[in-house]
């Protein structure tokens, strides 16, 4: 996390500095968005959840000064909002056409130009859900195990086990892919 984040938080909380908020928003939005998509599998919902979460930072005003780890706070907030959204979706009846549309959108957006990149993403997507979340938070978002224990509310041993499983499965799938290309 960049060194100026505490400064930005202070400027947002006490000076209501819009430029500081914009910088904070631009810094955290991409990672939060990727994390949210990995939970919701829905781009529109992810955009709304992340935007709402970041808007709440602005609305906190001076209370923002009491947040010790803004990164863990934001990822936990996005996780909780995503889980709430998912539970609301389960309550709604989805017709087959909307399921097919969502599948097509997901397939299109997961396409990566490089074949190897595609295989890596495919291997990550094939991981069990919790294992995939842990892997993405560690490798793509650069969060520490301690931060992830707070966000996902699981032990460090569980995180380590998920990472071992993820790396083993990804390595195995890539080896199979590469052997098949020869």
């Amino acid at each position: 996390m960049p060194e100026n984040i505490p400064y930005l938080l202070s400027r947002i909380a006490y000076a209501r500095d819009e430029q500081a908020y914009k910088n904070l928003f631009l810094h955290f939005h991409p990672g939060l968005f990727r994390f949210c998509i990995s939970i919701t599998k829905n781009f529109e919902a992810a955009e709304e959840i992340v935007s709402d979460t970041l808007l709440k930072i602005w609305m906190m005003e001076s209370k923002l000064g009491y947040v010790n780890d803004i990164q863990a706070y934001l990822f936990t907030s996005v996780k909780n909002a995503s889980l709430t959204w998912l539970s609301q979706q389960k309550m709604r009846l989805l017709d087959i056409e909307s399921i097919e549309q969502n599948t097509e959108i997901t397939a299109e957006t997961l396409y990566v130009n490089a074949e190897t990149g595609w295989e890596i993403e495919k291997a990550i997507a094939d991981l069990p859900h919790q294992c995939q979340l842990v892997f993405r938070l560690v490798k793509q978002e650069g969060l520490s195990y301690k931060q992830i224990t707070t966000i996902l509310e699981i032990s460090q041993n569980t995180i380590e086990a998920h990472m071992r499983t993820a790396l083993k499965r990804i390595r195995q799938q890539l080896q199979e892919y590469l052997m098949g290309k020869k």
Side-chain angles (χ1 to χ4, degrees):
M1 185 162 59
E3 295 176 18
N4 67 340
I5 296 296
Y7 172 75
L8 293 176
L9 291 174
S10 175
R11 295 290 305 158
I12 294 166
Y14 303 112
R16 309 302 294 149
D17 185 336
E18 290 181 21
Q19 186 60 44
Y21 175 73
K22 181 180 177 183
N23 291 342
L24 187 82
F25 185 97
L26 292 173
H27 175 75
F28 283 110
H29 185 276
L32 292 171
F33 185 71
R34 285 188 302 267
F35 177 62
C36 191
I37 286 173
S38 72
I39 297 171
T40 64
K41 309 288 189 240
N42 184 299
F43 285 88
E44 291 169 0
E47 183 60 46
E48 186 174 329
I49 289 167
V50 171
S51 294
D52 287 350
T53 301
L54 289 167
L55 180 61
K56 288 176 186 172
I57 294 298
W58 178 259
M59 304 302 285
M60 289 174 74
E61 296 181 351
S62 63
K63 294 176 194 166
L64 186 58
Y66 297 104
V67 176
N68 291 327
D69 185 345
I70 190 66
Q71 192 170 27
Y73 178 84
L74 288 170
F75 275 93
T76 301
S77 297
V78 167
K79 177 198 78 169
N80 292 338
S82 298
L83 295 176
T84 300
W85 182 85
L86 283 173
S87 68
Q88 291 170 348
Q89 295 307 303
K90 286 181 182 177
M91 298 175 74
R92 295 184 181 137
L93 295 175
L94 297 176
D95 59 38
I96 294 175
E97 288 179 17
S98 70
I99 292 172
E100 288 174 353
Q101 285 177 338
N102 286 340
T103 303
E104 289 172 10
I105 291 168
T106 302
E108 289 172 10
T109 56
L110 288 179
Y111 178 77
V112 178
N113 289 335
E115 286 184 43
T116 306
W118 169 251
E119 286 300 317
I120 291 170
E121 184 58 37
K122 186 174 153 192
I124 294 169
D126 288 344
L127 294 171
H129 184 69
Q130 189 81 351
C131 187
Q132 182 183 144
L133 287 177
V134 169
F135 181 83
R136 289 186 189 279
L137 288 172
V138 170
K139 294 298 185 184
Q140 293 177 339
E141 303 308 326
L143 297 179
S144 69
Y145 285 11
K146 184 177 180 182
Q147 289 173 311
I148 297 170
T149 61
T150 303
I151 294 167
L152 297 179
E153 298 172 348
I154 57 177
S155 74
Q156 186 165 334
N157 288 340
T158 304
I159 292 169
E160 290 169 0
H162 282 310
M163 284 302 295
R164 279 191 304 275
T165 301
L167 293 171
K168 180 180 176 184
R169 287 187 179 190
I170 292 168
R171 189 178 309 113
Q172 181 180 8
Q173 194 163 335
L174 282 175
Q175 284 176 343
E176 290 170 7
Y177 168 73
L178 293 172
M179 296 300 281
K181 281 201 71 124
K182 291 183 180 181

